[in-house]
Amino acid sequence: MQVFRGFRHPGVAPACALTIGNFDGVHRGHQAMLALLQTEARQRGLPSCVLTFEPHPRDYFAAVTKKPDLAPARIGTLRDKLSELAACGVAQTIVLPFDGRLASQSPEEFIQNVLIDGLGVRYVLVGDDFRFGAKRAGDYAMLDAAGDAHGFDVARMNSYEVHGLRVSSSAVREALAEGRMADAHTLLGRPYTISGHVVHGRKLGRALGASAPGKDDGFRTLNLRFKHWKPAASGIFAVLVHGLSEQPLPGVANLGVRPSLDANDVNAGRVLLETHCLEWPSHLGAEGAYGKIVRVELLHKMHDELRYTSLEALTAGIAKDGRDARAFFASTHAETHRQTTRDRI
């Protein structure tokens, strides 16, 4: 999949079949829409294209109005969004910066400047609640009329449901906020994962729980840091880590701001996904994970972030979380074995 920041690039296809949206989470509703887009694009001999926005429009308006609560919790990072769009077979994605200029465009200007002149649309597919342009004044009827006037087809897709539940980014956010990871899995059509580059931190974890002073063999962690990110999930999770070995590694992870530590440390109070692998790969040594891209699969929420009053209490808490994560994986393995045995009978 080709990715472009904006549409003024020579590599952007001169004509396309397009869908527009934020696609936070790329859930099963999004996947159904993208499958329909692929079909329509093939029938027309056009590349499929997604137009998405960064930052999220609500992030922009939250900053402008100085009302941070307006910003939605984010299901995924831009990296994860693009990865999932590529997995759905999208040929190109245009990431359009959402700024004051775009926010002030009238619906008519958006159609002319972005859809027609910028992307050469021949087919546009939108959701049933699609709105666009300044003050969200544009709707499906306006887009459909513009298609008739300018020679491109317009279609909309109704809500996608699973077991009678409307699949939406809001529903995924709610499931993640409540720690209902199995429900999030159902809505997403896959386990909930977060990926990123492993970065350096304070290296405090390796000292906590060390076998002896100076040994640095305690709770070594993989740190993924997210600038200006408000995650839909938070807390302590049993996880699987992909990308460090042939098989995924079981672990325990803290997703949040680490309330027990100084907010002025190297993390600077930003969101961090801090993962301790229960069995550290020996081939990596102490420093071998830095710079690698890993994908952390959040399987089971154990509890919310806790504030510990001392490093000793923090060490004990991390140790307990590790034991609880091991117990979770042991029970999961036992249940899988029982299911396999039943299937064979």
Side-chain angles (χ1 to χ4, degrees):
M1 182 181 75
Q2 293 182 294
V3 179
F4 301 94
R5 290 274 188 172
F7 49 78
R8 303 186 188 282
H9 299 278
V12 174
C16 69
L18 179 76
T19 189
I20 309 168
N22 293 302
F23 291 93
D24 191 18
V26 194
H27 53 62
R28 290 175 69 176
H30 294 144
Q31 293 162 32
M33 178 175 281
L34 294 170
L36 177 57
L37 179 71
Q38 293 287 88
T39 298
E40 296 290 342
R42 283 193 297 269
Q43 290 178 352
R44 292 168 170 77
L46 294 169
S48 57
C49 179
V50 168
L51 175 63
T52 191
F53 307 98
E54 189 65 30
H56 191 293
R58 285 168 58 190
D59 284 341
Y60 168 79
F61 288 114
V64 169
T65 60
K66 298 182 180 179
K67 296 179 180 178
D69 289 345
L70 293 178
R74 299 290 285 271
I75 299 170
T77 63
L78 179 60
R79 172 192 296 279
D80 289 327
K81 180 198 299 189
L82 294 175
S83 176
E84 293 301 331
L85 291 175
C88 289
V90 174
Q92 69 177 19
T93 292
I94 308 297
V95 182
L96 201 58
F98 197 91
D99 53 19
R101 181 177 179 182
L102 184 61
S104 64
Q105 276 194 348
S106 69
E108 294 82 3
E109 289 172 328
F110 180 83
I111 291 170
Q112 186 65 53
N113 297 339
V114 178
L115 302 187
I116 298 174
D117 296 341
L119 297 174
V121 295
R122 297 291 180 267
Y123 171 85
V124 181
L125 175 65
V126 295
D128 56 3
D129 56 354
F130 179 69
R131 308 286 297 194
F132 66 100
K135 299 182 179 179
R136 294 170 52 85
D139 58 11
Y140 176 79
M142 181 183 291
L143 187 61
D144 192 38
D148 285 340
H150 296 281
F152 60 87
D153 296 328
V154 180
R156 62 180 165 186
M157 185 170 175
N158 292 328
S159 300
Y160 186 86
E161 294 186 354
V162 175
H163 303 308
L165 175 66
R166 183 178 185 272
V167 179
S168 66
S169 295
S170 295
V172 178
R173 291 186 190 106
E174 182 177 323
L176 292 174
E178 296 175 359
R180 296 185 281 110
M181 307 312 291
D183 290 344
H185 186 155
T186 298
L187 293 166
L188 292 168
R190 63 183 186 280
Y192 179 59
T193 61
I194 299 172
S195 67
H197 284 95
V198 179
V199 299
H200 290 272
R202 285 179 59 184
K203 300 181 174 60
L204 177 62
R206 63 179 64 184
L208 296 177
S211 58
K215 287 288 289 183
D216 286 345
D217 59 353
F219 304 114
R220 183 181 289 115
T221 60
L222 307 168
N223 299 325
L224 306 185
R225 189 177 295 129
F226 308 98
K227 186 176 182 180
H228 307 307
W229 193 47
K230 179 181 177 181
S234 65
I236 313 302
F237 298 84
V239 304
L240 287 175
V241 179
H242 302 259
L244 294 180
S245 61
E246 292 184 2
Q247 297 297 322
L249 301 169
V252 59
N254 186 125
L255 175 56
V257 295
R258 304 190 302 173
S260 297
L261 300 180
D262 180 4
N264 295 317
D265 71 0
V266 67
N267 188 41
R270 295 198 300 267
V271 171
L272 190 76
L273 177 60
E274 193 173 29
T275 304
H276 169 59
C277 294
L278 299 178
E279 301 295 337
W280 185 258
S282 59
H283 69 274
L284 289 175
E287 310 292 326
Y290 292 118
K292 292 185 179 296
I293 296 177
V294 299
R295 182 166 56 90
V296 182
E297 184 179 327
L298 280 64
L299 299 177
H300 169 67
K301 182 172 179 177
M302 297 191 295
H303 59 80
D304 290 333
E305 283 193 288
L306 301 175
R307 182 180 295 276
Y308 295 100
T309 57
S310 66
L311 289 181
E312 291 76 13
L314 175 60
T315 301
I318 295 174
K320 182 180 185 303
D321 291 338
R323 292 193 298 271
D324 290 346
R326 290 181 188 277
F328 166 79
F329 285 111
S331 65
T332 301
H333 177 76
E335 178 57 32
T336 301
H337 177 72
R338 284 194 294 271
Q339 183 62 51
T340 302
T341 301
R342 285 195 295 267
D343 291 344
R344 289 174 178 172
I345 296 174

